[in-house]
Amino acid sequence: MEHDAMLAFGYRHRWLRRLGDDWQMVETNGRFDEPDLRAATTALVESTGHPALAAHVSDSDCLVMCTAVPGATGPLTHLPRPSEPCSVYVHAGPRTGDEIVAELIDWSSTGGLRPDTAGLRSQVHVDEELADDLVFRAYLRAIERKEDPMPVEPWEAPALALEADLWAALYRPDADVPALVRRTAEVVRLYEASRPSRPSRHHEFWAP
């Protein structure tokens, strides 16, 4: 999330989750709907040197997805119902489910992961599901994980509450700045305490 390339997806990072094996999921948003997803994903991969899977979710109705590895960026994919044109938003399509499954398998293999082919197929061909859940479950199948691997870190809830109050403070002349500073220091302390002592690689997985 420290990379400048993340700003191409959106400037306001809402939360960060560790997915295990040095992978991360970042949810972010911005003022533009929707970002140039292929360009943003390509720039992120060039910046980090690691594969990335990105998705832009439209009000939980549907999403456009993009995979990228160093040196190659895949086409845009519309989910759910990828073989039909999007009837609400201007999203990519149509593509066959088999094309998307093959793309995700290739992306997984390039990233050193072991995809669950049957699980991927079941997610790509789903008819009705919240787009947010759909892309995350597709990712889990791409790395052969059957359950949500994301533990809630002790700093996350305080950080989210602090972010909301910081934004509100922009419009409140009576904001208690010293209290916000103390809370910021406490969030940083909790975050630093939760980090592993060894240096970690920065693999990125993003979903807005």
Side-chain angles (χ1 to χ4, degrees):
M1 196 170 66
E2 301 131 6
H3 297 284
D4 291 341
M6 285 297 300
L7 297 177
F9 297 105
Y11 62 91
R12 185 177 180 185
H13 304 317
R14 298 177 64 87
W15 53 255
L16 169 69
R17 293 281 195 275
R18 292 177 183 158
L19 300 175
D21 299 327
D22 293 328
W23 289 79
Q24 302 170 351
M25 173 183 280
V26 182
E27 179 180 330
T28 188
N29 62 11
R31 63 174 61 89
F32 299 114
D33 190 13
E34 62 194 50
D36 184 342
L37 200 60
R38 289 192 82 246
T41 310
T42 300
L44 179 61
V45 170
E46 290 176 349
S47 173
T48 64
H50 299 298
L53 186 153
H56 175 82
V57 179
S58 299
D59 295 330
S60 295
D61 296 326
C62 60
L63 62 91
V64 60
M65 183 179 75
C66 181
T67 62
V69 298
T73 301
L76 296 178
T77 292
H78 173 254
L79 294 174
R81 296 180 296 278
S83 61
E84 303 173 13
C86 180
S87 59
V88 181
Y89 305 98
V90 182
H91 278 174
R95 297 181 68 200
T96 68
D98 288 342
E99 288 176 321
I100 298 167
V101 170
E103 178 188 344
L104 287 169
I105 290 173
D106 183 63
W107 172 81
S108 301
S109 301
T110 303
L113 303 170
R114 295 180 303 166
D116 173 5
T117 303
L120 272 175
R121 194 175 302 281
S122 69
Q123 291 303 307
V124 168
H125 289 283
V126 71
D127 287 328
E128 296 293 339
E129 187 171 358
L130 288 179
D132 318 57
D133 296 335
L134 178 61
V135 69
F136 181 58
R137 289 178 184 173
Y139 168 78
L140 293 182
R141 298 302 186 265
I143 64 172
E144 205 178 39
R145 295 253 176 99
K146 311 303 181 186
E147 298 178 356
D148 186 337
M150 300 189 300
V152 177
E153 300 284 356
W155 55 268
E156 291 184 278
L160 290 172
L162 175 63
E163 183 197 33
D165 290 342
L166 285 172
W167 278 87
L170 292 174
Y171 307 98
R172 293 184 57 185
D174 60 340
D176 189 345
V177 175
L180 291 171
V181 172
R182 288 193 295 271
R183 288 172 60 191
T184 301
E186 175 62 13
V187 168
V188 171
R189 185 191 69 79
L190 291 171
Y191 173 72
E192 292 294 341
S194 70
R195 298 180 67 182
S197 56
R198 63 179 177 81
S200 63
R201 295 170 294 163
H202 289 286
H203 293 282
E204 301 286 346
F205 172 74
W206 173 86

